[in-house]
Every structure is written in structure tokens, then in C-alpha cells.
Amino acid sequence: MTTVTIALAKGKLLDDTLPLFKAAGLYHEDLTDPGRKLLFTNDNGDRFLVVRATDVPPYIAHGGADLGVAGRDILGEYPEELYQPVDLNVAHCRMCVARPADKDLDDRPGTRLRVATKYPNAAETHFAAKGISIEIIKLYGSMELAPLVGMADCIVDLVSTGRTLKENGLVEVETLWHSTARLVVNRASMKTKHDRLAPILATLAEVAAARTE
Amino acid sequence: MSYLHDLPRTAVPRGVASFLPDLAARKRQLESRALRTFRQWGYREVAPPLFEYLEVLSQGLVPETVARGYKIEDRQDGRLMVLRPDITAQVARLAAARQEDPHTPHRFGYTSNVFTQVEAHSGQPREVFQVGVELLGPGGVEADLEVLSLLISLLQEIGLGNFVVALGQSGFVQGVLTSLNLPEDARAAMTQAVHGKDIAAIRGLLQAADADEATCAALERIPFLIGEPEVIDTGRSLTTDPSALAALDHLQTVVDGLTAAGLGKHLLIDLGEIRDLSYYTGVVFEVLDPSMGVELGGGGRYDDLVGRFGHPMDAIGFALDVERVMEAQLRAQGPVESAALDYRVVAAQSVSAPVRQLREAGLQVGVVLPGEATEKVPLLQVTGDQLTLCREGASPEPVDVAALIKHAGR
């Protein structure tokens, strides 16, 4: 039988998506506690890679893996288009603009809005559509800090419960879009391994749709 | 210290590279093979220029290709020029310029490099080598069959055992979308969503368009109608749009024709494949190999393109990425032993009559310089018309040209 290679994002997303893949017959028992190991091969010969969430798209695009899991937030920042045949209906969150509760965005000191974000594509697209000139300060985490110390006017960030924003005195002012985890598939594999992938995709779609979150 | 000063003295820019002898030989072999096959099918080689006027060539390029092109200024007239980013547009331009009868077929083949800017650290090359053909003039299913038969024959000849030609018909998705009556922005977004087989985006757009149940069911399935030719029938059951149905009939005829010619086993249907709707107007296809995670090439029918250069005619073509095909060949066949020299002679004898005869017969006879290691290539000594073969560790033996040629088996 044709074997497949699956790139899984380490962390909470791994725990959320493992049951879905198990239902589709893709499983390795050590994945529940991967430790430091990065590559797992099960008895069918299917391989599982455990990588950083942001690294899933390049693994798929370059054919290092046939399929994988990535959030819409991460896919939106990746320059190449990848097939996204299943909305896995997990890891629900939203991309939003947030600012300090006591400041108005129209009331900024300079000509350009200073936006701190890990998602420059999302931020640029959003503000360009509104005709607002921005200056992006790319950060890799805890962007809530940037407006608090006055180096940015607002942030564009992924929000799940909104608790972190609240605890840091920020309020959501706009929602760009809602995000979920997606199944991503290599463009060539989708065709050359279609016989193997079609039933996997069908099962994943079914199980994902049946989930309520 | 500036970045420039930090460059090693032998650096080359990212995304370009040199072909060293073994690779260069394999590249040349593949390109020659392709050009020979093209000639055998009546496709004559053309060699368009390295750069063109940006505003002229752009008429035949998709916006992304224009954006990614390398532009240079023409200091004579101040116009912008572009390093060729796409051969098809160049061939379309030169076909239009010839103002020939659009009903007479023009068959062109090429082997050429194209240039494109890429994202930093994306692992993509900026110089891409291509071989391909364009058939311009008459359109229709016979021309589609001709080009696809040529493509599949070439792929068979170059020894890719398991290649797949994934075939679609852009008119199908186009027809289904037309019947949706979407505003222009939503239509563009939907086209992209179908092309990206992005189910969440498709659902979102259908919901926003308040589409009826049948349309939703159709558009959610179309990107995944992949497989044996039977999926064409499934496609038929999903739409009533006449142009979409006509596109499927057309595709069926092409598939039947290729199957009847014994070329069916490499075909896979992908009804969601449209490549680029602003460019392709009929059959579209991509060449894949199970050992490779990227396409080896592709093409399709582009009946509107030549007309943008002022002289409308139908057209279809394909291009293969030479380096990717070479990689697939290597994976299929393993490394090929590179041809070593047959004999060596000293410089003074390098153009003597017997040595010329050997070379004319296809043998490789190089020169050995004083002190040069000969890597076990036997030395030939020429005295008048007499040849003496000197092998390492053996006593010299007289030989004649005919025996050496026969021995080499060429």
C-alpha cells in the first residue's frame, strides 16, 4: 500500500488532532508523549513528523510530508498556496486588532499606525483594505506588551479566550477573521497518492464535522 | 564593514548555480533528447531573446509573473525591459508578429531559461531551465490530442516510469462559477479557493453568496473530483450549465483519444484543476512523479493569449522544468556513469589523421599534458599511419584504427 508522511504541529494542536487522525487509521502510540523523538514510523510504514507549527507549511510545500496540520493564522503568513481540503474544526480562535482600553486608534501621534504583530501579512492586508498606512513591528510573542510601553498603537494577534488581552488592559476592536486548524496536503501528493488520501480525507472531514466545540 | 565587503570572492547570488560537468552533460542530454523528439513531431526550435519590453510582454503574462520579473531600464529609450519570465508569452508574441494565417498550424519547440524573483529562503531557484512546445493556429480537440500525445511520448522516452499527467478542463469550473452570478471580487476569491482546494474558504464564500443547496454541494465536491476518467461523469451530475457540460464533453473526447492510443495509463483526472483562469481557456494539465513533491511541468490551452498581441489565434503548449525532470530521472534510474575518455595522445599528435578518424567515429580522444595523471586512460602513440597502444602495466602493442573503432562499439 502507498505510505504517507504526516507533519504534526507539536503542543496542544497535536493533542487536539491526534484523535482525528486515529479515526482515519493514522496512528502511532508514542505520539501521545513524543518526548525528544521527531520521527515515528508505524507498522503500516506511515511516518509522523513532529515539528513546530510554523514549520508545517514548508514541510508540505517542499514535499517533506504529504499532509499535515496548520492553523489558518500560520497558512495566511506562508507565501505559497497549499491545498486545504479539510477544516479540522479544532483550535478555534480569531485574528483581531486590539488596543489599550484607554486609547483611541484615531488619536495617534504619528502619520502611520504602529502595529505590533507576529502576522504581518494579515495586518497589512487588513489595514490596506481600509486605506490606513501602517508601520509593522514584527514580534514573535507577547505582543500585548508593545502598546503598554508605547512602542505600538495596537496589535494584530490571534485570540482564543481573550483573557491575556484583558489582563493587560487591552480591548479587541476588530475581528479580521476566525481561524481553525486545517488539514494541508502537498499539491503533488493530492494526485499521485490520491487512492490512499481520498478515504483519509473523507474520514477526517466526517469526524471533524461531527465535533462540536 | 558593509555586506558587499563580506561577500566571499567566489560567491554567486542565491537561487542560481553552475552546472558542473556531470550535471551539465545530463542537462544537455535531456534537452537534446527533447528537441530531437520535438523535431521528429514537426516542431522546429525557436530561441526568443533574453529580455523584452516589459509593457509588451506583460500583455501575455499573469500579474504575479509581471510582479516577480527582473526589470532593467533600457538606457536608449528609458523603457523598462524584463528578463524573460515565461517562454509561452514570448512565443505568442513572435507568432502574433508574423501575422500568419491563423488557420495554419505553427509548431515551435524550445529549450531555454526563465528568471523569477522568489521569496527569501523559500528554497526556490531564480533561474529555471525549461523545455517545451507551443502549437499555435487551429484549436480544437485534435490539437489537444497532438500536444498531449507528444508530451506523454516524451516522458516515456526519457525513462520516467511512473509519471502522472493530471488533466483538467478550466472551462468546467469557469462554467459552474458563471452560473453562480457572483460579484467580481467574490468570483476571484472563489476561483482562488477552488484552485487551492480550500474547503473552509469555499464554504465561507458560498454562505456569503447565499448559494442554493445544489450549488453548494457541487462546489464543495468539484475540487476533490480526482481519479479515473469516471469522475467526469460525477462532474456531469453536479451541473446543468451548458458551457461546463461542453467542457466535460471535450475532456471526455481527449481522454478517450489518449486511451485509444494506448496512452491512458498515465492519466489522472482532476476536475478542480484550473491552473490560472486568466490564462488557460480549455484543457489544463500538470506532470507529476510519485517520487517528487513538486510538479515537473505542465501546460494547457490558451486561446486568448496570442490575440492580446494583436493577432488572435488558438494555442496550446507545455513546458517541463529541466532540473526537476533530471531529479526524477535520477530517482528512477540511479546515477549514470559519466563518459570517460577512450584514449589520450600527446599534443603534437592530437590532429593526426588516425586520431581524427577515431574522433569522427565518435571516440573521445583527449590530449595528455606532461605530468598529467591519465586516470588509466590508455595512451596512443602515432608514427605516420601506425598506431601503438600503451596500457598501464602492459607492453606497447600495434593496433589499427578499424580495430579500435570496432572495439569501442560505436
Side-chain angles (χ1 to χ4, degrees):
Chain A
M1 188 163 73
T2 312
T3 59
V4 290
T5 301
I6 302 122
L8 297 166
K10 64 173 80 168
K12 184 169 181 304
L13 199 49
L14 180 65
D15 303 333
D16 285 348
T17 47
L18 269 187
L20 298 170
F21 283 104
K22 191 173 183 181
L26 295 170
Y27 192 65
H28 191 291
E29 55 190 20
D30 293 348
L31 285 170
T32 46
D33 184 19
R36 285 171 181 273
K37 215 175 148 187
L38 301 170
L39 176 64
F40 302 86
T41 308
N42 69 14
D43 294 341
N44 296 330
D46 293 325
R47 298 189 299 174
F48 300 82
L49 318 178
V50 181
V51 303
R52 275 180 71 122
T54 44
D55 289 343
V56 171
Y59 271 92
I60 304 298
H62 293 279
D66 299 300
L67 62 164
V69 177
R72 179 178 176 183
D73 52 313
I74 283 163
L75 292 166
E77 299 299 313
Y78 191 67
E80 277 175 68
E81 191 177 43
L82 304 171
Y83 286 153
Q84 301 178 38
V86 182
D87 183 342
L88 293 172
N89 197 17
V90 296
H92 286 262
C93 39
R94 55 195 183 275
M95 190 66 77
C96 72
V97 181
R99 60 159 168 85
D102 55 354
K103 291 217 177 84
D104 194 330
L105 284 190
D106 295 328
D107 197 18
R108 58 184 181 270
T111 53
R112 289 169 296 169
L113 190 68
R114 296 167 307 162
V115 183
T117 186
K118 195 164 93 174
Y119 305 97
N121 272 355
E124 265 169 9
T125 313
H126 173 71
F127 287 106
K130 301 178 65 165
I132 297 175
S133 302
I134 62 167
E135 185 178 322
I136 291 196
I137 302 163
K138 169 129 193 201
L139 299 175
Y140 291 86
S142 306
M143 31 235 105
E144 294 85 0
L145 263 177
L148 298 183
V149 295
M151 82 182 198
D153 301 308
C154 64
I155 65 172
V156 167
D157 199 11
L158 203 59
V159 176
S160 140
T161 60
R163 227 174 65 202
T164 317
L165 288 181
K166 208 169 176 184
E167 284 178 11
N168 288 286
L170 300 184
V171 289
E172 274 180 72
V173 285
E174 280 175 289
T175 303
L176 276 57
W177 32 260
H178 291 270
S179 175
T180 45
R182 309 289 167 77
L183 182 78
V184 285
V185 177
N186 173 272
R187 295 184 70 91
S189 304
M190 188 79 182
K191 298 169 195 202
T192 58
K193 297 190 174 180
H194 181 257
D195 290 346
R196 177 76 204 281
L197 289 177
I200 294 173
L201 265 52
T203 309
L204 286 174
E206 207 174 298
V207 180
R211 274 181 63 104
T212 44
E213 196 174 347
Chain B
M1 196 186 267
S2 81
Y3 174 67
L4 270 180
H5 286 101
D6 287 331
L7 264 188
R9 294 169 71 165
T10 53
V12 294
R14 289 185 193 126
V16 298
S18 307
F19 287 79
L20 295 177
D22 282 353
L23 268 182
R26 285 181 42 221
K27 173 170 175 283
R28 176 70 66 190
Q29 197 181 18
L30 175 61
E31 289 169 342
S32 306
R33 184 75 199 234
L35 285 177
R36 195 182 81 186
T37 304
F38 298 161
R39 257 194 325 272
Q40 288 168 338
W41 284 66
Y43 287 73
R44 301 182 64 202
E45 185 180 354
V46 288
L50 178 60
F51 47 84
E52 300 227 6
Y53 282 125
L54 175 66
E55 64 190 87
V56 173
L57 204 65
S58 297
Q59 299 172 103
L61 299 172
V62 299
E64 193 190 342
T65 309
V66 175
R68 288 188 181 279
Y70 284 92
K71 289 104 180 172
I72 40 181
E73 192 189 318
D74 186 337
R75 287 168 68 178
Q76 291 169 21
D77 61 12
R79 291 180 192 277
L80 277 182
M81 305 189 292
V82 63
L83 283 186
R84 60 177 169 231
D86 178 50
I87 309 292
T88 302
Q90 290 190 300
V91 174
R93 186 214 14 89
L94 70 87
R98 284 154 53 113
Q99 295 281 321
E100 285 181 90
D101 177 4
H103 303 294
T104 309
H106 307 290
R107 296 181 172 88
F108 297 125
Y110 58 83
T111 166
S112 192
N113 48 354
V114 294
F115 302 88
T116 176
Q117 318 231 31
V118 298
E119 301 283 332
H121 308 137
S122 63
Q124 303 291 337
R126 298 199 280 183
E127 179 179 19
V128 177
F129 298 88
Q130 296 184 330
V131 293
V133 301
E134 316 290 347
L135 167 54
L136 309 108
V141 75
E142 291 283 321
D144 294 350
L145 263 180
E146 172 180 337
V147 169
L148 279 161
S149 302
L150 167 54
L151 171 65
I152 295 173
S153 305
L154 175 64
L155 293 167
Q156 285 174 331
E157 281 168 32
I158 59 182
L160 299 178
N162 297 318
F163 68 88
V164 172
V165 175
L167 200 56
Q169 224 293 6
S170 62
F172 173 59
V173 172
Q174 184 125 28
V176 173
L177 289 186
T178 305
S179 59
L180 247 180
N181 277 324
L182 293 171
E184 201 178 320
D185 281 359
R187 187 191 166 105
M190 183 63 96
T191 305
Q192 174 149 11
V194 171
H195 183 250
K197 303 193 191 295
D198 182 346
I199 194 71
I202 292 171
R203 284 188 185 139
L205 288 162
L206 285 169
Q207 206 169 9
D210 205 14
D212 62 73
E213 215 167 294
T215 310
C216 290
L219 275 165
E220 286 182 21
R221 276 193 78 185
I222 285 169
F224 308 104
L225 292 179
I226 302 171
E228 300 291 315
E230 289 74 48
V231 300
I232 299 177
D233 295 327
T234 314
R236 271 197 199 96
S237 70
L238 294 176
T239 182
T240 52
D241 179 79
S243 67
L245 289 169
L248 291 181
D249 289 342
H250 179 100
L251 185 61
Q252 185 75 57
T253 313
V254 172
V255 170
D256 289 347
L258 291 169
T259 307
L263 302 176
K265 92 173 174 99
H266 294 286
L267 292 182
L268 180 86
I269 306 302
D270 179 356
L271 289 188
E273 184 56 58
I274 45 181
R275 289 180 81 79
D276 192 319
L277 272 189
S278 65
Y279 197 101
Y280 290 106
T281 56
V283 287
V284 288
F285 45 89
E286 51 188 7
V287 179
L288 304 160
D289 186 279
S291 71
M292 300 277 289
V294 289
E295 67 171 45
L296 304 187
R301 174 158 291 287
Y302 53 96
D303 289 343
D304 297 337
L305 192 65
V306 188
R308 294 183 205 162
F309 294 100
H311 189 62
M313 60 176 88
D314 292 350
I316 178 171
F318 69 76
L320 294 173
D321 182 318
V322 170
E323 285 193 82
R324 288 180 179 177
V325 172
M326 284 166 63
E327 189 179 338
Q329 278 181 315
L330 198 65
R331 290 184 187 204
Q333 304 157 1
V336 187
E337 195 101 341
S338 58
L341 279 179
D342 295 297
Y343 302 104
R344 287 182 184 268
V345 293
V346 295
Q349 297 172 354
S350 61
V351 289
S352 59
V355 170
R356 284 177 192 246
Q357 274 178 285
L358 291 174
R359 291 207 191 100
E360 269 161 35
L363 274 76
Q364 301 181 40
V365 186
V367 167
V368 60
L369 296 175
E372 184 179 357
T374 57
E375 293 157 353
K376 298 193 176 150
V377 178
L379 183 73
L380 280 179
Q381 275 173 359
V382 187
T383 324
D385 287 343
Q386 301 298 309
L387 284 179
T388 310
L389 181 63
C390 311
R391 284 183 210 276
E392 211 178 8
S395 49
E397 54 176 306
V399 287
D400 65 69
V401 169
L404 291 182
I405 293 172
K406 197 174 165 205
H407 176 72
R410 290 185 193 139

